[in-house]
């Protein structure tokens, strides 16, 4: 094992890699419950969603370990799971099986991008203000979903949204759990989100929101998962919504992963030679996710925990992946985690994604206004795709209106026309 991953050449040891792998796992293990909950909103049974999350995380970590020998955590990502559930399934008219087919197709397109020079061309062609605004908009969207799940915000026929009933057990438990989660996060307690889920589940139990009697001795049941595994339905592959979904997934996957890999592999790890290989591994994992029954994987920000703990090679990723597999034996307890324990994590993650707003140049209104449209329209339309579309359509317009057409690339024109065409066809239909 040491020879395969060249531990000595990377200045690390078996002990360091194991510790890093364990550290990385406990920093990201919350994704099992959170992603399972979000997939459930798309119609995927909770237990099946959890199994799909675990297996795709295992495969993703193994791929990046052997393809790139990098200590990355590859799991279904926050933000893109919201795109999958609340936009592709929720507003675009695809069911979860058709959405999984869109994930497979987006994976194939992502592979083409990752294995060619297209990744660099696309990254350079799209303005940084639009790339950053997508992260900010998705962050607001995730926080909005968390506030809804907590009951703090509810639907209102007059104002569309309003403050929920603060005397409700769900709201009170959510607020207490948010305070606990925020404290653990700000104190940088190792495994803070995992601890908050455990404490949050207990707090919810005190409010009568969790029934521990529902746990049983049958730890793993693949009954529901059999209907999800390899269930991708390509029946709508000739329709515009299907290709809009696939295109949107590729757009977010490329931007998010290129940005994350740059900060992790180039920055923290200082191993730029592993960047391209890592992107290739992640692109392949996207296809795996579609086949296994979950939204696409990304290299998560929690990867920093493993690198900080000393992880330098793919052995760290293997340890993390194997721990994901072992987590299946705790299935009955994972299924008990209530929305009141998950919502605070969504709210805080949304806040973290909002920090990207400092990278947008608001002194140039031709950059600021399209970015503003993306940020505000993603949560207000409850659609990541529609929010992105408004920004990409507005960008060439404001540049042309101010005689700055030299700042526009052919790629921007093409993407804008595609989004505009999609809007027009939807209005006609």
């Amino acid at each position: 094992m040491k020879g395969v991953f060249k531990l000595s050449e990377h200045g690390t040891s078996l002990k360091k890699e194991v510790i890093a792998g364990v550290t990385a796992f406990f920093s990201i293990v919350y994704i099992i419950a959170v992603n399972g909950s979000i997939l459930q909103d798309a119609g995927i049974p909770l237990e099946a969603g959890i199994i799909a999350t675990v297996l795709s995380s295992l495969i993703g970590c193994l791929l990046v370990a052997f393809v790139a020998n990098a200590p990355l955590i590859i799991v279904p990502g926050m933000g893109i799971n919201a795109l999958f559930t609340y936009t592709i399934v929720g507003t675009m008219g695809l069911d979860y099986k058709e959405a999984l087919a869109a994930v497979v197709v987006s994976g194939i397109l992502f592979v083409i991008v990752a294995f060619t020079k297209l990744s660099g061309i696309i990254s350079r062609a799209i303005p940084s203000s639009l790339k950053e605004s997508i992260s900010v908009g998705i962050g607001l969207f995730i926080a909005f979903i968390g506030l809804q799940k907590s009951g703090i915000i509810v639907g209102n026929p007059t104002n569309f949204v309003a403050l929920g009933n603060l005397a409700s057990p769900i709201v009170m438990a959510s607020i207490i759990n948010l305070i606990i989660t925020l404290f653990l996060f700000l104190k940088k307690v190792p495994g803070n989100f995992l601890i908050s889920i455990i404490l949050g589940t207990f707090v919810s139990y005190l409010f009568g929101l969790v029934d521990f009697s529902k746990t049983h001795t049958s730890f793993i049941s693949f009954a529901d998962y059999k209907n999800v595994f390899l269930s991708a339905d390509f029946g709508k592959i000739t329709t515009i919504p299907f290709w809009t979904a696939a295109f949107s997934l590729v757009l977010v996957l490329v931007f998010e992963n290129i940005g994350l890999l740059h900060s992790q592999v180039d920055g923290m790890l200082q191993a730029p030679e592993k960047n391209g290989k890592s992107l290739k591994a992640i692109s392949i994992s996207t296809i795996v996710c579609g086949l296994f029954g979950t939204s696409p994987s990304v290299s998560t920000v929690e990867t920093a925990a493993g690198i900080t703990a000393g992880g330098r090679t793919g052995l760290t990723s293997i340890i993390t992946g194997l721990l994901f597999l072992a987590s299946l034996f705790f299935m009955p307890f994972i299924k008990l985690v209530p929305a009141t324990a998950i919502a605070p994590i969504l709210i805080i993650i949304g806040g973290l994604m909002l920090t990207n707003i400092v990278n947008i140049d608001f002194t140039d209104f031709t950059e600021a206004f399209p970015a503003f449209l993306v940020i505000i329209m993603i949560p207000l339309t409850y659609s990541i795709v529609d929010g992105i579309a408004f920004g990409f359509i507005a960008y060439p317009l404001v540049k042309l209106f101010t005689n700055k057409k030299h700042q526009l690339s052919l790629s921007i024109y093409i993407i804008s026309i595609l989004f505009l065409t999609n809007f027009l066809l939807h209005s006609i239909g």
Side-chain angles (χ1 to χ4, degrees), residues 113-134:
V113 170
F115 280 77
T116 64
K117 296 181 179 180
L118 282 174
S119 58
I121 294 173
I122 293 174
S123 180
R124 290 189 296 270
I126 307 302
S128 62
S129 60
L130 289 179
K131 287 187 280 190
E132 299 292 351
S133 67
I134 292 172

Side-chain angles (χ1 to χ4, degrees), residues 10-22:
H10 288 81
T12 185
S13 65
L14 179 61
K15 180 181 178 181
K16 285 183 179 179
E17 294 293 300
V18 171
I19 292 174
V22 173

Side-chain angles (χ1 to χ4, degrees), residues 173-243:
S174 296
I175 291 174
I176 293 172
N177 291 340
L178 177 58
I179 294 171
I180 292 171
T181 307
L182 193 59
F183 173 81
L184 293 170
F185 177 77
L186 292 176
K187 288 295 184 179
K188 298 181 179 179
V189 177
N192 42 45
F193 284 160
L194 172 62
I195 296 171
S196 75
I197 284 177
I198 295 171
L199 294 177
T201 301
F202 179 70
V203 169
S204 302
Y205 165 75
L206 296 178
F207 278 90
L209 303 174
V210 176
D211 184 4
F212 284 112
S213 66
K214 291 184 178 181
T215 57
H216 49 78
T217 55
S218 177
F219 280 77
I220 306 173
S221 172
F222 287 84
D224 288 334
Y225 185 60
K226 288 189 295 185
N227 297 321
V228 174
F229 180 65
L230 297 180
S231 67
D233 181 359
F234 293 87
K236 290 189 177 179
I237 196 170
T238 58
T239 65
I240 291 176
F242 182 95
W243 284 101

Side-chain angles (χ1 to χ4, degrees), residues 345-389:
I345 295 175
L346 297 179
I347 295 169
I348 290 176
I349 288 176
L352 287 172
M353 295 179 72
L354 192 66
T355 58
N356 286 40
I357 200 168
V358 300
N359 299 321
I360 300 173
D361 182 9
F362 282 99
T363 62
D364 182 350
F365 198 69
T366 63
E367 296 289 331
F369 185 69
F372 163 74
L373 284 180
V374 173
I375 292 169
I376 200 69
M377 293 304 287
I378 286 178
L380 291 185
T381 61
Y382 218 75
S383 169
I384 295 171
V385 173
D386 290 344
I388 293 173

